[in-house]
């Protein structure tokens, strides 16, 4: 699977529940797609570098406005 596809899976979960903890988001994504932790982190990094999502200091992931 490509980083774009995996990023879209994370985005789908963020649209359902914005401002979610980074671990809880991973659990949701993993239950839906079986994504590995390393793929999740790489895809989350791509979303961050693309200014699509941010990780707050408290560890929550949210969409950029």
């Amino acid at each position: 699977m490509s980083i774009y596809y995996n990023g879209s899976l994370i985005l789908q979960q963020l649209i359902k529940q914005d401002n979610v903890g980074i671990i809880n988001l991973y659990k949701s994504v993993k239950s839906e797609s079986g994504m590995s932790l390393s793929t999740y982190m790489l895809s989350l990094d791509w979303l961050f570098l693309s200014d699509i999502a941010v990780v707050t200091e408290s560890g929550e992931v949210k969409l950029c406005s």
Side-chain angles (χ1 to χ4, degrees), residues 40-55:
Y40 168 75
M41 293 306 293
L42 176 65
S43 301
L44 194 59
D45 284 345
W46 175 76
L47 293 173
F48 173 74
L49 292 172
S50 300
D51 289 328
I52 297 170
V54 294
V55 179

Side-chain angles (χ1 to χ4, degrees), residues 1 6 12 16 18 20 22 27-28 30 34 37-38 40 42 50 53-54 57 64:
M1 303 285 173
N6 288 313
Q12 287 175 357
K16 290 180 188 175
D18 199 14
V20 63
I22 195 167
K27 289 178 182 178
S28 297
K30 183 174 176 141
L37 181 60
S38 60
Y40 168 75
L42 176 65
S50 300
V54 294
E57 288 185 20
C64 292

Side-chain angles (χ1 to χ4, degrees), residues 1-9 32-36 38-40 42-43:
M1 303 285 173
S2 75
I3 191 170
Y4 304 108
Y5 176 75
N6 288 313
S8 74
L9 296 176
E32 292 286 322
S33 66
M35 187 183 299
S36 70
S38 60
T39 299
Y40 168 75
L42 176 65
S43 301

Side-chain angles (χ1 to χ4, degrees), residues 7 25 46 62:
L25 178 60
W46 175 76
K62 66 179 192 174

